[in-house]
Short mmCIF file of all heavy atoms in Angstrom, two decimals:
data_model
loop_
_atom_site.label_atom_id
_atom_site.label_comp_id
_atom_site.label_asym_id
_atom_site.label_seq_id
_atom_site.Cartn_x
_atom_site.Cartn_y
_atom_site.Cartn_z
N GLU F 359 123.20 130.95 95.57
CA GLU F 359 122.25 130.69 94.48
C GLU F 359 121.74 129.25 94.54
O GLU F 359 120.55 128.98 94.35
CB GLU F 359 122.94 130.95 93.14
CG GLU F 359 121.95 131.09 92.00
CD GLU F 359 122.65 131.48 90.70
OE1 GLU F 359 123.72 132.13 90.76
OE2 GLU F 359 122.13 131.11 89.65
N LYS F 360 122.65 128.28 94.82
CA LYS F 360 122.25 126.88 94.93
C LYS F 360 121.28 126.67 96.09
O LYS F 360 120.30 125.94 95.99
CB LYS F 360 123.49 125.99 95.13
CG LYS F 360 124.26 125.74 93.85
CD LYS F 360 125.44 124.82 94.11
CE LYS F 360 126.23 124.58 92.83
NZ LYS F 360 127.42 123.73 93.07
N GLU F 361 121.59 127.32 97.23
CA GLU F 361 120.71 127.21 98.41
C GLU F 361 119.32 127.76 98.10
O GLU F 361 118.31 127.20 98.52
CB GLU F 361 121.32 127.96 99.59
CG GLU F 361 122.49 127.22 100.23
CD GLU F 361 123.14 128.03 101.33
OE1 GLU F 361 122.70 129.17 101.59
OE2 GLU F 361 124.10 127.53 101.94
N LYS F 362 119.31 128.88 97.34
CA LYS F 362 118.03 129.50 96.98
C LYS F 362 117.22 128.56 96.08
O LYS F 362 116.01 128.39 96.26
CB LYS F 362 118.30 130.82 96.25
CG LYS F 362 117.06 131.68 96.08
CD LYS F 362 117.42 133.00 95.44
CE LYS F 362 116.17 133.84 95.23
NZ LYS F 362 116.47 135.11 94.55
N GLU F 363 117.91 127.94 95.10
CA GLU F 363 117.23 127.00 94.20
C GLU F 363 116.68 125.81 94.96
O GLU F 363 115.55 125.36 94.74
CB GLU F 363 118.23 126.49 93.14
CG GLU F 363 118.46 127.49 92.02
CD GLU F 363 119.51 126.97 91.03
OE1 GLU F 363 119.81 125.76 91.08
OE2 GLU F 363 120.01 127.77 90.24
N LYS F 364 117.49 125.30 95.91
CA LYS F 364 117.06 124.16 96.72
C LYS F 364 115.82 124.51 97.54
O LYS F 364 114.88 123.73 97.67
CB LYS F 364 118.21 123.76 97.65
CG LYS F 364 118.00 122.41 98.33
CD LYS F 364 119.19 122.06 99.18
CE LYS F 364 118.97 120.75 99.90
NZ LYS F 364 120.08 120.41 100.79
N GLU F 365 115.82 125.74 98.10
CA GLU F 365 114.69 126.19 98.92
C GLU F 365 113.43 126.30 98.09
O GLU F 365 112.35 125.90 98.50
CB GLU F 365 115.04 127.55 99.53
CG GLU F 365 114.02 128.03 100.54
CD GLU F 365 114.36 129.41 101.08
OE1 GLU F 365 115.55 129.74 101.19
OE2 GLU F 365 113.43 130.15 101.37
N GLU F 366 113.59 126.83 96.84
CA GLU F 366 112.43 126.99 95.96
C GLU F 366 111.86 125.64 95.56
O GLU F 366 110.66 125.45 95.46
CB GLU F 366 112.82 127.79 94.72
CG GLU F 366 112.96 129.28 95.02
CD GLU F 366 113.49 130.06 93.82
OE1 GLU F 366 113.71 129.42 92.77
OE2 GLU F 366 113.68 131.27 93.93
N LYS F 367 112.75 124.67 95.32
CA LYS F 367 112.29 123.34 94.92
C LYS F 367 111.56 122.63 96.06
O LYS F 367 110.55 121.98 95.86
CB LYS F 367 113.48 122.46 94.48
CG LYS F 367 113.96 122.79 93.08
CD LYS F 367 115.12 121.92 92.71
CE LYS F 367 115.69 122.30 91.36
NZ LYS F 367 116.89 121.52 91.03
N SER F 368 112.08 122.79 97.25
CA SER F 368 111.47 122.07 98.38
C SER F 368 110.16 122.69 98.83
O SER F 368 109.39 122.07 99.53
CB SER F 368 112.44 122.05 99.56
OG SER F 368 112.69 123.37 100.00
N GLY F 369 109.88 123.94 98.44
CA GLY F 369 108.63 124.58 98.85
C GLY F 369 108.72 125.00 100.30
O GLY F 369 109.78 125.16 100.87
N VAL F 370 107.58 125.20 100.92
CA VAL F 370 107.51 125.66 102.30
C VAL F 370 107.84 124.51 103.24
O VAL F 370 107.38 123.41 103.06
CB VAL F 370 106.10 126.21 102.61
CG1 VAL F 370 106.03 126.70 104.05
CG2 VAL F 370 105.76 127.34 101.66
N ASP F 371 108.66 124.81 104.23
CA ASP F 371 109.03 123.78 105.21
C ASP F 371 107.85 123.47 106.11
O ASP F 371 107.35 124.35 106.81
CB ASP F 371 110.22 124.31 106.04
CG ASP F 371 110.64 123.31 107.09
OD1 ASP F 371 110.32 122.12 106.93
OD2 ASP F 371 111.29 123.73 108.07
N THR F 372 107.39 122.22 106.08
CA THR F 372 106.22 121.84 106.89
C THR F 372 106.60 121.00 108.10
O THR F 372 105.74 120.45 108.77
CB THR F 372 105.22 121.03 106.03
OG1 THR F 372 105.89 119.87 105.55
CG2 THR F 372 104.70 121.83 104.87
N GLU F 373 107.89 120.90 108.36
CA GLU F 373 108.34 120.07 109.47
C GLU F 373 107.79 120.60 110.80
O GLU F 373 107.81 121.80 111.07
CB GLU F 373 109.87 120.05 109.52
CG GLU F 373 110.42 119.08 110.54
CD GLU F 373 111.94 119.14 110.61
OE1 GLU F 373 112.54 119.74 109.72
OE2 GLU F 373 112.48 118.58 111.57
N GLY F 374 107.30 119.69 111.63
CA GLY F 374 106.83 120.08 112.95
C GLY F 374 105.42 120.64 112.98
O GLY F 374 104.96 121.11 114.01
N LEU F 375 104.73 120.62 111.83
CA LEU F 375 103.38 121.18 111.80
C LEU F 375 102.34 120.21 112.37
O LEU F 375 101.21 120.59 112.59
CB LEU F 375 102.99 121.55 110.36
CG LEU F 375 103.73 122.73 109.76
CD1 LEU F 375 103.18 123.05 108.39
CD2 LEU F 375 103.63 123.96 110.64
N GLN F 376 102.72 118.95 112.60
CA GLN F 376 101.84 117.96 113.22
C GLN F 376 100.51 117.84 112.47
O GLN F 376 99.44 117.94 113.04
CB GLN F 376 101.58 118.33 114.69
CG GLN F 376 102.85 118.24 115.52
CD GLN F 376 102.70 118.87 116.89
OE1 GLN F 376 101.81 119.68 117.11
NE2 GLN F 376 103.57 118.52 117.80
N LEU F 377 100.63 117.68 111.17
CA LEU F 377 99.43 117.46 110.35
C LEU F 377 99.06 115.98 110.39
O LEU F 377 99.93 115.13 110.31
CB LEU F 377 99.70 117.89 108.90
CG LEU F 377 99.96 119.39 108.69
CD1 LEU F 377 100.41 119.63 107.26
CD2 LEU F 377 98.73 120.20 108.99
N ALA F 378 97.78 115.72 110.51
CA ALA F 378 97.31 114.33 110.57
C ALA F 378 96.11 114.15 109.67
O ALA F 378 95.28 115.06 109.55
CB ALA F 378 96.96 113.96 112.00
N GLU F 379 96.04 112.98 109.04
CA GLU F 379 94.86 112.65 108.23
C GLU F 379 93.92 111.78 109.04
O GLU F 379 94.37 110.95 109.83
CB GLU F 379 95.26 111.88 106.98
CG GLU F 379 96.28 112.56 106.11
CD GLU F 379 97.03 111.53 105.32
OE1 GLU F 379 96.40 110.84 104.50
OE2 GLU F 379 98.25 111.38 105.54
N ALA F 380 92.63 111.95 108.81
CA ALA F 380 91.65 111.11 109.50
C ALA F 380 90.42 110.97 108.61
O ALA F 380 90.11 111.87 107.82
CB ALA F 380 91.26 111.72 110.85
N VAL F 381 89.74 109.83 108.73
CA VAL F 381 88.52 109.60 107.96
C VAL F 381 87.33 109.65 108.91
O VAL F 381 87.39 109.15 110.03
CB VAL F 381 88.58 108.26 107.19
CG1 VAL F 381 88.73 107.09 108.12
CG2 VAL F 381 87.36 108.07 106.31
N VAL F 382 86.24 110.28 108.46
CA VAL F 382 85.03 110.43 109.27
C VAL F 382 84.26 109.11 109.27
O VAL F 382 83.89 108.59 108.22
CB VAL F 382 84.14 111.56 108.72
CG1 VAL F 382 82.86 111.69 109.54
CG2 VAL F 382 84.89 112.88 108.71
N ARG F 383 84.01 108.57 110.46
CA ARG F 383 83.27 107.32 110.59
C ARG F 383 81.77 107.56 110.45
O ARG F 383 81.30 108.69 110.57
CB ARG F 383 83.56 106.67 111.94
CG ARG F 383 84.99 106.23 112.13
CD ARG F 383 85.21 105.66 113.51
NE ARG F 383 84.31 104.55 113.80
CZ ARG F 383 84.68 103.43 114.39
NH1 ARG F 383 85.93 103.26 114.75
NH2 ARG F 383 83.80 102.49 114.64
N ASN F 384 81.03 106.47 110.22
CA ASN F 384 79.57 106.57 110.10
C ASN F 384 78.93 107.13 111.36
O ASN F 384 77.93 107.85 111.30
CB ASN F 384 78.95 105.18 109.84
CG ASN F 384 79.48 104.54 108.59
OD1 ASN F 384 80.67 104.41 108.41
ND2 ASN F 384 78.59 104.14 107.70
N ASP F 385 79.49 106.78 112.52
CA ASP F 385 78.90 107.19 113.78
C ASP F 385 79.54 108.45 114.35
O ASP F 385 79.34 108.79 115.52
CB ASP F 385 79.03 106.05 114.81
CG ASP F 385 80.48 105.61 114.98
OD1 ASP F 385 81.33 106.03 114.18
OD2 ASP F 385 80.75 104.84 115.91
N SER F 386 80.29 109.17 113.53
CA SER F 386 80.99 110.36 114.01
C SER F 386 80.01 111.49 114.33
O SER F 386 79.01 111.69 113.64
CB SER F 386 81.98 110.85 112.95
OG SER F 386 82.50 112.12 113.29
N MET F 387 80.34 112.27 115.36
CA MET F 387 79.53 113.43 115.72
C MET F 387 79.68 114.54 114.68
O MET F 387 78.94 115.52 114.69
CB MET F 387 79.95 113.96 117.10
CG MET F 387 81.37 114.48 117.16
SD MET F 387 81.90 114.93 118.83
CE MET F 387 80.87 116.35 119.13
N MET F 388 80.62 114.40 113.75
CA MET F 388 80.86 115.42 112.73
C MET F 388 79.87 115.33 111.56
O MET F 388 79.71 116.30 110.82
CB MET F 388 82.28 115.30 112.18
CG MET F 388 83.37 115.44 113.23
SD MET F 388 85.02 115.32 112.53
CE MET F 388 85.19 116.93 111.77
N VAL F 389 79.24 114.17 111.40
CA VAL F 389 78.37 113.95 110.23
C VAL F 389 77.26 114.99 110.18
O VAL F 389 76.58 115.25 111.18
CB VAL F 389 77.78 112.52 110.26
CG1 VAL F 389 76.77 112.33 109.14
CG2 VAL F 389 78.89 111.49 110.15
N ASN F 390 77.09 115.61 109.00
CA ASN F 390 76.07 116.63 108.73
C ASN F 390 76.27 117.91 109.53
O ASN F 390 75.35 118.72 109.65
CB ASN F 390 74.65 116.08 108.99
CG ASN F 390 74.24 115.05 107.97
OD1 ASN F 390 74.60 115.15 106.80
ND2 ASN F 390 73.51 114.04 108.40
#
Side-chain angles (χ1 to χ4, degrees):
E359 196 175 332
K360 282 182 181 178
E361 285 176 359
K362 192 177 178 182
E363 282 177 15
K364 193 178 178 183
E365 187 182 328
E366 284 174 1
K367 282 180 185 176
S368 63
V370 180
D371 179 20
T372 59
E373 187 183 347
L375 290 185
Q376 295 168 340
L377 295 172
E379 304 154 64
V381 61
V382 179
R383 295 177 57 137
N384 301 54
D385 56 349
S386 170
M387 64 186 292
M388 301 181 76
V389 174
N390 290 325

